[in-house]
Amino acid sequence: MVAYEIDPLVFRDLKRRLGDWTNVTLVQADFLRCSLPNEPYSVCASLPFNITADVVAKLTTGVDPPNDAYLVIQREAVRRFMVSGQRRFTLISCLLYPRWKVHLLGHIPATAFRPQPAVSAALIHFRLRPQSLVTARDQALFRDLVTQGFVGGSSVGDALRPVFTSRQLRRIAKDLKLKLDGVPSAVRPAQWVALMRFVAEHPQEVKLASIAGAFARLENRHRRLRKSHRTRR
């Protein structure tokens, strides 16, 4: 087992208690700045709630993802990553869907922690699919298309109009059972995969330039916001 701890005082305590264990390697470092193993591994962690999204992104989007990740996160954040049992979906849950199965294993009351936080937690399981539903070649296209769907307009039709003609939209809506006047969060992740496959199979018939780089632009925007927030603090 390799255990990462950034706080020097906590690390010192871990060293005192676990330093003689031959099957444990302690690393005093920021996990977000460390390289992931290039051999099969699993992750088990109780995350600081303020970096949950960053840790999940590191684990699920890297070139060496874990086979499994069991993470304790803030209970209110669970829905951001879940697909099963949901009627509305988030951008993150849709982007995770092709490569990951995500399950809620249980809730953990705030009283289980010392010191006690103001909110309760949950244990969530990320399981890597044996084979991605989206090929490596099409992953960037999938990310850009879904991002455009979520940020490009208040309705599915408005968000996708820069990409497809009106005739194509009507055909797609019929074939995939999409409600063009519905909100993007109501589109199931499997429908986004099917929509991406249509685009990949008909690249000359759609306006790919209108969505190219959409995911990267959103990531850069979020990165600037986080940096600005840290500066103000």
Short mmCIF file of all heavy atoms in Angstrom, two decimals, residues 43-96:
data_model
loop_
_atom_site.label_atom_id
_atom_site.label_comp_id
_atom_site.label_asym_id
_atom_site.label_seq_id
_atom_site.Cartn_x
_atom_site.Cartn_y
_atom_site.Cartn_z
N VAL A 43 -7.67 2.38 -5.60
CA VAL A 43 -7.54 3.54 -4.71
C VAL A 43 -8.62 3.46 -3.64
O VAL A 43 -9.79 3.14 -3.93
CB VAL A 43 -7.68 4.86 -5.49
CG1 VAL A 43 -7.74 6.06 -4.55
CG2 VAL A 43 -6.52 5.01 -6.47
N CYS A 44 -8.24 3.77 -2.42
CA CYS A 44 -9.19 3.90 -1.32
C CYS A 44 -8.82 5.15 -0.55
O CYS A 44 -7.68 5.28 -0.08
CB CYS A 44 -9.14 2.67 -0.40
SG CYS A 44 -10.33 2.71 0.95
N ALA A 45 -9.75 6.11 -0.45
CA ALA A 45 -9.39 7.39 0.16
C ALA A 45 -10.61 8.10 0.72
O ALA A 45 -11.71 8.00 0.18
CB ALA A 45 -8.70 8.29 -0.86
N SER A 46 -10.38 8.81 1.81
CA SER A 46 -11.35 9.76 2.35
C SER A 46 -10.84 11.14 1.95
O SER A 46 -9.81 11.60 2.44
CB SER A 46 -11.45 9.64 3.87
OG SER A 46 -12.38 10.58 4.38
N LEU A 47 -11.53 11.78 1.01
CA LEU A 47 -11.01 12.99 0.38
C LEU A 47 -11.38 14.25 1.13
O LEU A 47 -12.49 14.36 1.65
CB LEU A 47 -11.56 13.09 -1.05
CG LEU A 47 -11.25 11.94 -2.00
CD1 LEU A 47 -11.87 12.22 -3.36
CD2 LEU A 47 -9.75 11.74 -2.13
N PRO A 48 -10.46 15.22 1.16
CA PRO A 48 -10.88 16.58 1.56
C PRO A 48 -11.96 17.04 0.59
O PRO A 48 -11.78 16.98 -0.63
CB PRO A 48 -9.59 17.40 1.41
CG PRO A 48 -8.47 16.39 1.46
CD PRO A 48 -9.03 15.16 0.82
N PHE A 49 -13.09 17.49 1.11
CA PHE A 49 -14.24 17.78 0.26
C PHE A 49 -13.92 18.85 -0.79
O PHE A 49 -14.48 18.85 -1.88
CB PHE A 49 -15.43 18.21 1.10
CG PHE A 49 -15.98 17.11 1.98
CD1 PHE A 49 -16.77 17.42 3.08
CD2 PHE A 49 -15.71 15.79 1.71
CE1 PHE A 49 -17.30 16.41 3.89
CE2 PHE A 49 -16.21 14.76 2.51
CZ PHE A 49 -17.01 15.08 3.60
N ASN A 50 -13.00 19.77 -0.47
CA ASN A 50 -12.75 20.88 -1.39
C ASN A 50 -11.91 20.49 -2.61
O ASN A 50 -11.80 21.26 -3.56
CB ASN A 50 -12.07 22.04 -0.65
CG ASN A 50 -10.70 21.66 -0.12
OD1 ASN A 50 -10.50 20.56 0.38
ND2 ASN A 50 -9.75 22.57 -0.22
N ILE A 51 -11.33 19.29 -2.61
CA ILE A 51 -10.55 18.87 -3.79
C ILE A 51 -11.12 17.60 -4.42
O ILE A 51 -10.45 16.95 -5.22
CB ILE A 51 -9.06 18.65 -3.44
CG1 ILE A 51 -8.89 17.53 -2.41
CG2 ILE A 51 -8.42 19.95 -2.97
CD1 ILE A 51 -7.44 17.09 -2.26
N THR A 52 -12.36 17.25 -4.08
CA THR A 52 -12.97 16.03 -4.63
C THR A 52 -12.94 16.02 -6.15
O THR A 52 -12.52 15.04 -6.78
CB THR A 52 -14.41 15.89 -4.13
OG1 THR A 52 -14.42 15.69 -2.72
CG2 THR A 52 -15.10 14.70 -4.80
N ALA A 53 -13.40 17.11 -6.77
CA ALA A 53 -13.47 17.15 -8.23
C ALA A 53 -12.09 17.00 -8.86
O ALA A 53 -11.93 16.31 -9.88
CB ALA A 53 -14.12 18.46 -8.69
N ASP A 54 -11.07 17.62 -8.25
CA ASP A 54 -9.71 17.54 -8.80
C ASP A 54 -9.15 16.12 -8.70
O ASP A 54 -8.50 15.63 -9.63
CB ASP A 54 -8.78 18.51 -8.06
CG ASP A 54 -9.12 19.96 -8.35
OD1 ASP A 54 -9.64 20.25 -9.45
OD2 ASP A 54 -8.87 20.81 -7.48
N VAL A 55 -9.41 15.45 -7.58
CA VAL A 55 -8.91 14.08 -7.41
C VAL A 55 -9.63 13.13 -8.37
O VAL A 55 -8.99 12.27 -9.01
CB VAL A 55 -9.07 13.61 -5.95
CG1 VAL A 55 -8.73 12.12 -5.83
CG2 VAL A 55 -8.20 14.42 -5.02
N VAL A 56 -10.94 13.27 -8.47
CA VAL A 56 -11.69 12.41 -9.39
C VAL A 56 -11.21 12.62 -10.82
O VAL A 56 -11.04 11.65 -11.58
CB VAL A 56 -13.21 12.68 -9.27
CG1 VAL A 56 -13.98 11.98 -10.39
CG2 VAL A 56 -13.72 12.22 -7.91
N ALA A 57 -10.98 13.86 -11.20
CA ALA A 57 -10.49 14.14 -12.55
C ALA A 57 -9.13 13.49 -12.78
O ALA A 57 -8.87 12.92 -13.84
CB ALA A 57 -10.41 15.65 -12.78
N LYS A 58 -8.25 13.58 -11.79
CA LYS A 58 -6.91 12.99 -11.92
C LYS A 58 -7.00 11.48 -12.11
O LYS A 58 -6.31 10.90 -12.96
CB LYS A 58 -6.06 13.31 -10.69
CG LYS A 58 -4.64 12.74 -10.73
CD LYS A 58 -3.88 13.10 -9.47
CE LYS A 58 -2.47 12.53 -9.48
NZ LYS A 58 -1.60 13.20 -10.47
N LEU A 59 -7.86 10.84 -11.33
CA LEU A 59 -7.97 9.38 -11.38
C LEU A 59 -8.68 8.88 -12.63
O LEU A 59 -8.33 7.82 -13.17
CB LEU A 59 -8.72 8.87 -10.15
CG LEU A 59 -8.02 9.05 -8.80
CD1 LEU A 59 -8.95 8.62 -7.67
CD2 LEU A 59 -6.72 8.26 -8.75
N THR A 60 -9.66 9.62 -13.11
CA THR A 60 -10.52 9.10 -14.18
C THR A 60 -10.14 9.55 -15.57
O THR A 60 -10.63 8.99 -16.55
CB THR A 60 -11.98 9.48 -13.92
OG1 THR A 60 -12.11 10.92 -13.87
CG2 THR A 60 -12.49 8.88 -12.62
N THR A 61 -9.29 10.56 -15.69
CA THR A 61 -8.94 11.06 -17.03
C THR A 61 -7.49 10.83 -17.40
O THR A 61 -7.09 11.15 -18.51
CB THR A 61 -9.25 12.57 -17.14
OG1 THR A 61 -8.43 13.29 -16.21
CG2 THR A 61 -10.71 12.86 -16.83
N GLY A 62 -6.72 10.28 -16.50
CA GLY A 62 -5.30 10.07 -16.78
C GLY A 62 -5.06 8.86 -17.66
O GLY A 62 -5.96 8.06 -17.94
N VAL A 63 -3.80 8.69 -18.09
CA VAL A 63 -3.45 7.57 -18.95
C VAL A 63 -3.29 6.27 -18.17
O VAL A 63 -3.29 5.18 -18.75
CB VAL A 63 -2.16 7.86 -19.74
CG1 VAL A 63 -2.36 9.01 -20.69
CG2 VAL A 63 -1.00 8.16 -18.78
N ASP A 64 -3.15 6.36 -16.86
CA ASP A 64 -2.98 5.17 -16.01
C ASP A 64 -4.05 5.17 -14.92
O ASP A 64 -3.74 5.33 -13.73
CB ASP A 64 -1.59 5.14 -15.38
CG ASP A 64 -0.49 5.00 -16.41
OD1 ASP A 64 -0.59 4.09 -17.25
OD2 ASP A 64 0.46 5.80 -16.38
N PRO A 65 -5.31 4.99 -15.27
CA PRO A 65 -6.37 5.03 -14.26
C PRO A 65 -6.39 3.77 -13.40
O PRO A 65 -5.87 2.72 -13.81
CB PRO A 65 -7.65 5.11 -15.12
CG PRO A 65 -7.29 4.36 -16.36
CD PRO A 65 -5.84 4.70 -16.62
N PRO A 66 -6.96 3.85 -12.21
CA PRO A 66 -7.08 2.66 -11.37
C PRO A 66 -8.18 1.73 -11.90
O PRO A 66 -9.05 2.16 -12.67
CB PRO A 66 -7.47 3.24 -10.00
CG PRO A 66 -8.22 4.49 -10.35
CD PRO A 66 -7.53 5.05 -11.57
N ASN A 67 -8.14 0.48 -11.49
CA ASN A 67 -9.24 -0.43 -11.81
C ASN A 67 -10.47 -0.09 -11.00
O ASN A 67 -11.60 -0.23 -11.47
CB ASN A 67 -8.82 -1.88 -11.54
CG ASN A 67 -7.73 -2.35 -12.48
OD1 ASN A 67 -7.71 -1.98 -13.65
ND2 ASN A 67 -6.80 -3.16 -11.97
N ASP A 68 -10.24 0.33 -9.76
CA ASP A 68 -11.32 0.70 -8.85
C ASP A 68 -10.86 1.89 -8.01
O ASP A 68 -9.67 2.01 -7.70
CB ASP A 68 -11.67 -0.45 -7.89
CG ASP A 68 -12.18 -1.67 -8.59
OD1 ASP A 68 -13.40 -1.76 -8.84
OD2 ASP A 68 -11.35 -2.55 -8.91
N ALA A 69 -11.82 2.72 -7.64
CA ALA A 69 -11.55 3.79 -6.68
C ALA A 69 -12.72 3.86 -5.71
O ALA A 69 -13.87 4.06 -6.12
CB ALA A 69 -11.37 5.13 -7.39
N TYR A 70 -12.43 3.65 -4.43
CA TYR A 70 -13.43 3.75 -3.37
C TYR A 70 -13.17 5.06 -2.64
O TYR A 70 -12.15 5.20 -1.95
CB TYR A 70 -13.32 2.57 -2.41
CG TYR A 70 -13.60 1.23 -3.05
CD1 TYR A 70 -12.58 0.51 -3.67
CD2 TYR A 70 -14.89 0.69 -3.04
CE1 TYR A 70 -12.84 -0.72 -4.27
CE2 TYR A 70 -15.14 -0.55 -3.63
CZ TYR A 70 -14.12 -1.23 -4.24
OH TYR A 70 -14.38 -2.45 -4.83
N LEU A 71 -14.07 6.01 -2.79
CA LEU A 71 -13.82 7.36 -2.29
C LEU A 71 -14.92 7.81 -1.34
O LEU A 71 -16.11 7.67 -1.65
CB LEU A 71 -13.74 8.35 -3.46
CG LEU A 71 -12.73 8.03 -4.57
CD1 LEU A 71 -12.81 9.08 -5.66
CD2 LEU A 71 -11.32 7.92 -4.01
N VAL A 72 -14.51 8.35 -0.21
CA VAL A 72 -15.45 8.99 0.71
C VAL A 72 -15.51 10.46 0.33
O VAL A 72 -14.49 11.17 0.35
CB VAL A 72 -14.99 8.84 2.17
CG1 VAL A 72 -15.92 9.62 3.11
CG2 VAL A 72 -14.95 7.36 2.56
N ILE A 73 -16.71 10.91 -0.06
CA ILE A 73 -16.89 12.28 -0.51
C ILE A 73 -18.09 12.90 0.20
O ILE A 73 -18.85 12.20 0.89
CB ILE A 73 -17.10 12.36 -2.04
CG1 ILE A 73 -18.43 11.68 -2.42
CG2 ILE A 73 -15.95 11.70 -2.78
CD1 ILE A 73 -18.78 11.85 -3.90
N GLN A 74 -18.26 14.19 0.04
CA GLN A 74 -19.42 14.86 0.63
C GLN A 74 -20.70 14.31 0.02
O GLN A 74 -20.80 14.11 -1.20
CB GLN A 74 -19.33 16.37 0.36
CG GLN A 74 -20.44 17.19 1.03
CD GLN A 74 -20.25 18.68 0.83
OE1 GLN A 74 -19.14 19.13 0.55
NE2 GLN A 74 -21.30 19.44 0.97
N ARG A 75 -21.68 14.05 0.85
CA ARG A 75 -22.91 13.41 0.39
C ARG A 75 -23.59 14.22 -0.72
O ARG A 75 -24.10 13.65 -1.68
CB ARG A 75 -23.87 13.22 1.57
CG ARG A 75 -25.18 12.53 1.19
CD ARG A 75 -25.99 12.19 2.41
NE ARG A 75 -27.24 11.55 2.06
CZ ARG A 75 -28.11 11.04 2.94
NH1 ARG A 75 -27.81 11.10 4.24
NH2 ARG A 75 -29.22 10.46 2.55
N GLU A 76 -23.58 15.53 -0.60
CA GLU A 76 -24.25 16.37 -1.59
C GLU A 76 -23.57 16.31 -2.95
O GLU A 76 -24.16 16.71 -3.96
CB GLU A 76 -24.29 17.83 -1.10
CG GLU A 76 -25.28 18.09 0.03
CD GLU A 76 -24.82 17.55 1.38
OE1 GLU A 76 -23.63 17.15 1.48
OE2 GLU A 76 -25.64 17.51 2.32
N ALA A 77 -22.32 15.83 -3.00
CA ALA A 77 -21.59 15.78 -4.26
C ALA A 77 -21.82 14.49 -5.03
O ALA A 77 -21.41 14.39 -6.20
CB ALA A 77 -20.09 15.96 -4.00
N VAL A 78 -22.47 13.52 -4.41
CA VAL A 78 -22.62 12.20 -5.03
C VAL A 78 -23.30 12.30 -6.39
O VAL A 78 -22.88 11.68 -7.37
CB VAL A 78 -23.40 11.26 -4.10
CG1 VAL A 78 -23.83 10.00 -4.85
CG2 VAL A 78 -22.56 10.89 -2.89
N ARG A 79 -24.38 13.08 -6.47
CA ARG A 79 -25.16 13.14 -7.69
C ARG A 79 -24.35 13.64 -8.89
O ARG A 79 -24.64 13.31 -10.04
CB ARG A 79 -26.37 14.06 -7.48
CG ARG A 79 -27.28 14.16 -8.70
CD ARG A 79 -28.39 15.17 -8.50
NE ARG A 79 -29.02 15.46 -9.77
CZ ARG A 79 -28.57 16.37 -10.65
NH1 ARG A 79 -27.50 17.07 -10.35
NH2 ARG A 79 -29.19 16.56 -11.80
N ARG A 80 -23.31 14.40 -8.63
CA ARG A 80 -22.49 14.93 -9.73
C ARG A 80 -21.86 13.81 -10.55
O ARG A 80 -21.59 14.00 -11.75
CB ARG A 80 -21.38 15.82 -9.18
CG ARG A 80 -21.84 17.06 -8.45
CD ARG A 80 -20.66 17.86 -7.95
NE ARG A 80 -19.82 18.31 -9.04
CZ ARG A 80 -18.60 18.83 -8.87
NH1 ARG A 80 -18.08 18.92 -7.66
NH2 ARG A 80 -17.89 19.22 -9.90
N PHE A 81 -21.61 12.66 -9.92
CA PHE A 81 -20.90 11.58 -10.59
C PHE A 81 -21.78 10.40 -10.98
O PHE A 81 -21.35 9.54 -11.74
CB PHE A 81 -19.77 11.07 -9.69
CG PHE A 81 -18.88 12.16 -9.16
CD1 PHE A 81 -18.92 12.56 -7.83
CD2 PHE A 81 -18.00 12.82 -10.01
CE1 PHE A 81 -18.10 13.56 -7.35
CE2 PHE A 81 -17.17 13.83 -9.55
CZ PHE A 81 -17.22 14.20 -8.21
N MET A 82 -23.02 10.37 -10.50
CA MET A 82 -23.86 9.19 -10.65
C MET A 82 -24.67 9.24 -11.95
O MET A 82 -25.10 10.29 -12.41
CB MET A 82 -24.83 9.09 -9.47
CG MET A 82 -24.16 8.79 -8.15
SD MET A 82 -23.61 7.07 -8.01
CE MET A 82 -25.17 6.21 -8.08
N VAL A 83 -24.92 8.07 -12.50
CA VAL A 83 -25.85 7.88 -13.62
C VAL A 83 -27.01 7.01 -13.18
O VAL A 83 -28.17 7.32 -13.41
CB VAL A 83 -25.13 7.27 -14.84
CG1 VAL A 83 -26.14 6.82 -15.89
CG2 VAL A 83 -24.16 8.27 -15.44
N SER A 84 -26.69 5.89 -12.53
CA SER A 84 -27.71 4.95 -12.08
C SER A 84 -28.69 5.61 -11.13
O SER A 84 -28.31 6.28 -10.16
CB SER A 84 -27.04 3.76 -11.38
OG SER A 84 -27.99 2.85 -10.89
N GLY A 85 -29.98 5.45 -11.42
CA GLY A 85 -31.03 5.97 -10.54
C GLY A 85 -31.31 7.45 -10.70
O GLY A 85 -32.14 7.99 -9.96
N GLN A 86 -30.66 8.12 -11.63
CA GLN A 86 -30.84 9.56 -11.80
C GLN A 86 -31.81 9.87 -12.95
O GLN A 86 -31.86 9.15 -13.94
CB GLN A 86 -29.50 10.24 -12.08
CG GLN A 86 -28.43 9.99 -11.04
CD GLN A 86 -28.83 10.51 -9.67
OE1 GLN A 86 -29.25 11.65 -9.52
NE2 GLN A 86 -28.71 9.66 -8.66
N ARG A 87 -32.55 10.96 -12.80
CA ARG A 87 -33.40 11.45 -13.88
C ARG A 87 -32.80 12.68 -14.55
O ARG A 87 -33.21 13.08 -15.63
CB ARG A 87 -34.79 11.79 -13.32
CG ARG A 87 -35.49 10.59 -12.69
CD ARG A 87 -36.85 10.95 -12.15
NE ARG A 87 -37.77 11.32 -13.22
CZ ARG A 87 -39.03 11.69 -13.01
NH1 ARG A 87 -39.50 11.75 -11.77
NH2 ARG A 87 -39.81 12.01 -14.02
N ARG A 88 -31.86 13.31 -13.89
CA ARG A 88 -31.10 14.41 -14.44
C ARG A 88 -29.62 14.09 -14.28
O ARG A 88 -29.21 13.48 -13.30
CB ARG A 88 -31.44 15.73 -13.72
CG ARG A 88 -32.85 16.23 -13.98
CD ARG A 88 -32.95 16.78 -15.40
NE ARG A 88 -34.24 17.40 -15.65
CZ ARG A 88 -35.31 16.76 -16.12
NH1 ARG A 88 -35.23 15.46 -16.35
NH2 ARG A 88 -36.42 17.40 -16.35
N PHE A 89 -28.83 14.53 -15.24
CA PHE A 89 -27.43 14.17 -15.27
C PHE A 89 -26.57 15.42 -15.34
O PHE A 89 -27.01 16.47 -15.81
CB PHE A 89 -27.16 13.26 -16.47
CG PHE A 89 -28.09 12.09 -16.54
CD1 PHE A 89 -29.25 12.16 -17.30
CD2 PHE A 89 -27.84 10.93 -15.82
CE1 PHE A 89 -30.14 11.10 -17.35
CE2 PHE A 89 -28.72 9.86 -15.86
CZ PHE A 89 -29.88 9.95 -16.62
N THR A 90 -25.36 15.30 -14.87
CA THR A 90 -24.42 16.43 -14.90
C THR A 90 -23.43 16.23 -16.04
O THR A 90 -23.29 15.13 -16.59
CB THR A 90 -23.65 16.55 -13.58
OG1 THR A 90 -22.80 15.39 -13.44
CG2 THR A 90 -24.61 16.63 -12.40
N LEU A 91 -22.73 17.29 -16.37
CA LEU A 91 -21.68 17.18 -17.39
C LEU A 91 -20.65 16.15 -16.97
O LEU A 91 -20.21 15.31 -17.78
CB LEU A 91 -21.02 18.55 -17.60
CG LEU A 91 -19.81 18.60 -18.53
CD1 LEU A 91 -20.17 18.11 -19.92
CD2 LEU A 91 -19.22 20.00 -18.58
N ILE A 92 -20.25 16.17 -15.70
CA ILE A 92 -19.24 15.23 -15.22
C ILE A 92 -19.72 13.79 -15.33
O ILE A 92 -18.99 12.91 -15.80
CB ILE A 92 -18.84 15.56 -13.77
CG1 ILE A 92 -18.14 16.91 -13.70
CG2 ILE A 92 -17.94 14.47 -13.19
CD1 ILE A 92 -17.80 17.34 -12.28
N SER A 93 -20.95 13.51 -14.91
CA SER A 93 -21.44 12.14 -14.96
C SER A 93 -21.54 11.63 -16.39
O SER A 93 -21.27 10.45 -16.66
CB SER A 93 -22.79 12.02 -14.25
OG SER A 93 -23.80 12.73 -14.94
N CYS A 94 -21.89 12.51 -17.32
CA CYS A 94 -21.98 12.10 -18.73
C CYS A 94 -20.59 11.83 -19.31
O CYS A 94 -20.40 10.90 -20.10
CB CYS A 94 -22.70 13.16 -19.55
SG CYS A 94 -24.47 13.29 -19.19
N LEU A 95 -19.60 12.64 -18.92
CA LEU A 95 -18.24 12.44 -19.42
C LEU A 95 -17.61 11.18 -18.83
O LEU A 95 -16.80 10.51 -19.48
CB LEU A 95 -17.38 13.66 -19.10
CG LEU A 95 -17.75 14.97 -19.82
CD1 LEU A 95 -16.86 16.11 -19.35
CD2 LEU A 95 -17.65 14.80 -21.34
N LEU A 96 -17.97 10.83 -17.60
CA LEU A 96 -17.45 9.63 -16.97
C LEU A 96 -18.04 8.36 -17.57
O LEU A 96 -17.37 7.31 -17.61
CB LEU A 96 -17.74 9.65 -15.47
CG LEU A 96 -16.93 10.59 -14.58
CD1 LEU A 96 -17.54 10.63 -13.18
CD2 LEU A 96 -15.48 10.15 -14.51
#
